[in-house]
Amino acid sequence: MRLGALAWRGLAARPLRTALTIAGVALGVALITATLMASQATAEGVRRAAQELFGAADIRVRAFDDAGFTPRAVTALRQIPGVMNAAPVAERRGQVSTAPSPEDRTFVVLMLGVDPDDEARIRRPNLTAGSYLDPSEPEGVLVGAGWAEENGFGIGTELRLTGGGLGVLGVRIVGLLDEVGFGSLASGAVMVLDREFLSTAFETPAPIRYVDLDVAADRVEDVQAALDATMTEPFVVETVADAEQQLARAQAGFAGLAFLFGLVGLAVGAFLVANTLALTLAERTREIGLLRAAGMTSRQVLSVFLRQGLILAVAGSVLGLVLGIGLAAVVMGFLRSTRAIMVTGLPLHPGGLLLALVLGTAVTLAAAAVPALAAARVSPLDALRPSRQPGRTLGGRLPWVAGLAIAAVALGSVAYPFQRGQASAGGTLAAVAVLVAGTLLVAVLLHPLAALVGRPFAWFFGAEGLLGRANLGRDRVRTGLTVGTLAIGLAAVVALGTVSSSARATADRWVASILPGGHGIRFIVPPLLEGTPNALDAGIPGLRLASPIPEVGAVLVDEDGAQEVSVAGIEPSVFQDEGALIFTVGERAFAFNALRAGGSVLLPEPLAVREGLRPGDVVRLARPGEEPQEFRVAGTVAYSIPGRTSDGAILVSLTDALNRFGVTEAALWALAPQPDVPDGAFAQAVASYAAGQAAEPLTAEGLAGELGRSLGRVIGLFDVLALLAVVIGALGIVNTLSMGVAERAREIGILRSHGMTVGQVQAMVVAEAAIIGAVGGLAAVLIGLLVAWTTVAFGAPRDFAAGLEVPWALMAAVVLVGVGVASLAGIYPARRAARLPITDSLRHFE
Amino acid sequence: MTVILEARDLVKRYPLQGAELAALRGVSLSVKKGEFVAIMGTSGSGKSTMLHLLGGLDRPTSGEVVIDGVNISQLDDEQATLTRRAKTGFVFQFFNLVPLLNVAENVALPFLIAGDSLADHRDRVSELLEMVGLAEKAAHRPDQLSAGEQQRVALARALATEPAILLADEPTGNLDYTTGTEILDLLWDSCDRLGQTIVLVTHDARAAAYADRVLVVRDGQILDEIELGRRKDHEARPLITRLAALGL
C-alpha cells in the first residue's frame, strides 16, 4: 500500500473527525473570504459611484460661477474638435409637493435638468423601473427609487413643482433611478427632468453647472488644451479619477478601519484553522508511535501527515471559499436591502479570493506540519506508553497557533488588496497583536476564570453544572483554545463595535460642530443679507438667533497653480459663543479674535494637511477674474461647512465675505432656539417656515450630507462584519464541542450507566458550553476594549478626536450573546452525546 | 431467598452487513438476593452483552429482564435510567472514573446525578472510602491514583446507593495479581458481610472462584451452571476441573 492510500485511509477511518476538521478549516477560510469581499464593497461602491456619475464622459467642464454656463459656452464646448458628445446638466434645488389635499406634503429635491438625447449618449439611465425621459413628454421626470419608496411614490405618481414665480407646474414620475449615477446624489432626493422644462418652470432659470464631454480616443489632451483657448467663462476641468479621489477622500479615514477589520478577520480565521488542526492532529501521537514501531521512518510519517494536511487544506479551503462567497452574498444582500452601501453585485476580486485560498491552505498545511514534525521526533516507545497524554501541554500548542495567526495577519497586511487610508500600519498591527495575545492569555488563564464564572452555573444546573464546569478543566488546552475561538470572535465584535461607536461619536461631534445652534435653513432662492434676520425673527417662533453663512467659489493660488475652493463667511462671535467648530490646530479664542479682526481664515483640516499649511502661514484667495487677496491662517478645523469640494469651505468672517468677496446674499442660515423652546418644537417651527418660503429645513446631519452618509455606510458595513464574526464563532463552538463530545463518548457512557438521564447529559454539555460562552464573553469584553483602545490611540487617532466611546449596551449584549450562542451551539453536541448508545460508548476507546 | 434479578429468554441480535449477528440466543437465569454469581466465557461468547442487558444498559431484541421486581425491558429510556440509578451499581474494566472529579466526588457521583450535593452524603462517602482503604485520598484526582486504587474507588461508587445488584465487567482484567486479589476480596466482603448481590463477568477462573455460582456462556447461550457455594478460601481448583471437563 502506498503512503498516499494510508493518508487517505487515515482520514476515512475517522469520518466525523475529518468532517469536523474540514468544517473548521472551511469556517476560517469563509470568514477570511467574506471579510475581504465585504471590505472591498466599500471601495467598489466609491469607484462605481464615480464611474456611473461620469458615464461615457472623459471630461467634466464645470462652471466656476454660481450663475453657471451660458448657452453660448455650451455651444462652444460642443464645437471643440474631438468632442463627440456633450451633455449639459442644469442644477438647482427646488420644492415639489403632492397633489393638493389636507395631507399634502412638500419636499426639497435636487433638480437636474438634462437634454434627454444628449444625456442618453453619456450616461446609462440606471432605472429600476419605468422608462427614460421622452422629449415629446417634458413633464415626465425620473426620481430616486429609494426616495420614491420612502414617500410612497411610484411610476405614474403626479407631483407639483412649487416655490417658483410662474405658478404651479405638474410633473409625472416616469422612471425610478437606481442608487448609482444621478440616483446617488442628495440621498436619492433627486429629480431628473428635461432641461428646457426646468428652465421655464421657475422664475429664474436653472444654471448649467457642468457639461460632460465624450471625447474621441486619444484626443483628451487636445480637448483640454483647446478649452483654455475656447472658453471665455470661468471653468474647472474634472475627470473620473478626480471624482473617485474626491469620493474616496471623504472616506479615507475610514478606509483604515476597513483595513483593520480585514486584518481582524484574517486573525480570527487563521486562529480557527490553526486551532482545529492543533486539536485534531496533536491527539494522534499514539497512532504515529504505532507506525514508527512498524518500521515507518520519521520522513515517511511526516509525508503521511502532510498528505493528510494537504487533503484537509484543499477540501477545507475550497469549501470555505464557496461558503465565504455565499456568506458575502448574504451580507451584500442585507446591505443592499438597507440601502446602507452602494453595491450592485458581489465584488469577486480575484486578489481577495486568491489571498483567502492561499492563506487557508498555507495555514492548514503549516498547522498540520508542526504536530507531525513534533510527533515524528517522538520515540515509538514513548508514543505508545499508556500513560502518555500526547501534546496536551498548553505551552506546546499555543506558540504555533499564535505564530500561525500572526504570520497570516502579517502576510495579509502585506498582500491585503485594499486601501489603507490614514491608518498607521504599526497601530493596526498592534491592535491585531493585542487581539491574538489577549485571546491566548484567556486560554492560559482559563482555569481560574472558569472556576469563578462557572459557580453560578454549577449552582443553577446542579450536578450537570458541576460536571460541565469540571469538564472545562479536563483538557485545558482544548478548552482554552475553544474559549479562545469564541473569545476572539466576540472580542472582534467588541473592538469593532467600540471602534465604530467611537468613530460615530467623533463623526457626530464633527457634524454637530459645523452648525451653531443645531438648526438651519437653506433657501432655494437666497435672500439678501440685509433685512433677512428680521423676517426670520417674525416667521419662526422661538428663534433666538439667525446667522447667515454665505458661500462663494474661489481659487486658492500658490506657486504650483490654482485650485478650486469654497469660501464661507461666518459670524465669529456666534460660532465662538455657540461652541461651534472643533480646532485641530490653533488656539480657539485666538483664532476667533483673528477672524473678527479680519484678514484671517480657518482652514478645513484635509486641505491644511494636504497643502502643509499651519497657523501664521499666508494663503492667497481669488474670485474668478480678480486679483488674489492674502489671508493669514488662524487655525485648522476638523470639519467645516460643506462646500463645492470634499474638503469643506475655507472660513472667513462675514465682514470679509461681504467686503472682500462681495457676497450680498446667503442661502444657508444657522438658527438657534431660545433656551425655553424644546428642540423638537423649534425644528417643527423651522420646517413650517421653510415650507412657505421655498426653503429646506436643515439639521447638522442633513447639512453634512455625503460625508455623514459615507460614514453611515462604512459603519453599517462594520456592524455586519462583526455579526459575521459571531456567526463564525458559534459555528466554531459547535465544531469544537462536537469534537470534544466524540472523544468523551466513553465517559458519557459511564455517566449514563450510573443513572444520568438523556436530559441530564444534554444539560451537562449545554452547561459546559454556556460556561465557555460566559468566560469567552467576559474575556472578549476586556480584550475587545483593549484592542479598541490600541486602535484609537495608535491606529488612526485623527479619526477618533472624540476619544473612546464605550457602547455599554453592546458589552452586556456580547456577554449575553456569548452565553446564548455558546448554549445554542452546545445543543447539537449535547443531543449527539445523549443519543450515544451506552454500550457503544463503553466499547469506544482510542 | 428472594429472586432479585431475573432474565427470561433473552435474545440479542446486531445488524451486520445486511445480515444479523446473534450475540445472545435465549438466555434465562435468576439471581437471588445476596448471591454472588459469576458469568464466564471466552471472548465473543456473549458474556458482556448479557451483563449490559442485565444492567439495563441495552435493550434485548426479545425477552425480559426484571430487577428487584421491575421489568426494565418494558421501560422507556428515561424510566430505565432512573431504575438503573436506583437499583444497580457498575464496575468496568477500564476508565471507570470521571477524570475531572476527585475521589470523593466520584464515589458520590450517583448522588450528584440524582441532584443531591456531596455534603448531603458526606458520611456515606467517608464510610465507603474507609471500607476500600482510601479515606486519606478523598481529595485526590483519578490520575493521582494507581490502577488498583482507581478500581477500589469504582467499587465504592458502585456500592454508594446500596444497589439491589452490583454488576462488574472484568474488574480485575487490567490489574496485576495482588491488586486484582484485593478487588476480589472487597467484592466478596461486600457480598458476604453486607449481603450485596453481585454479578461478575470474567474470563478468569481465579476471579470466578469467588462466586457462589458460575454460569458458563458459549455462543450466546448458557452452556453450564456450576454451583460452588459460599467459601472463604476461594479455591479455584474445583472450578478449573469442571471447566476443563467442558473443554474450556
Side-chain angles (χ1 to χ4, degrees), chain A residues 656-678:
Chain A
D656 278 348
L658 293 166
N659 299 336
R660 300 176 74 167
F661 288 93
V663 300
T664 54
E665 56 190 32
L668 177 64
W669 291 70
L671 307 173
Q674 288 166 359
D676 56 340
V677 177

Side-chain angles (χ1 to χ4, degrees), chain A residues 100-123:
Chain A
S101 76
E103 288 95 32
D104 62 347
R105 291 169 294 161
T106 303
F107 307 89
V108 175
V109 296
L110 178 68
M111 296 180 174
L112 300 171
V114 299
D115 299 338
D117 291 337
D118 290 335
E119 180 61 25
R121 291 188 203 106
I122 293 288
R123 267 173 286 269

Side-chain angles (χ1 to χ4, degrees), chain A residues 282 389-400 475-478 481:
Chain A
Q389 292 290 307
R392 288 193 185 267
T393 60
L394 202 57
R397 284 190 198 171
L398 288 187
W400 92 67
D475 182 344
R476 293 184 190 180
V477 180
R478 170 194 296 284
L481 292 176

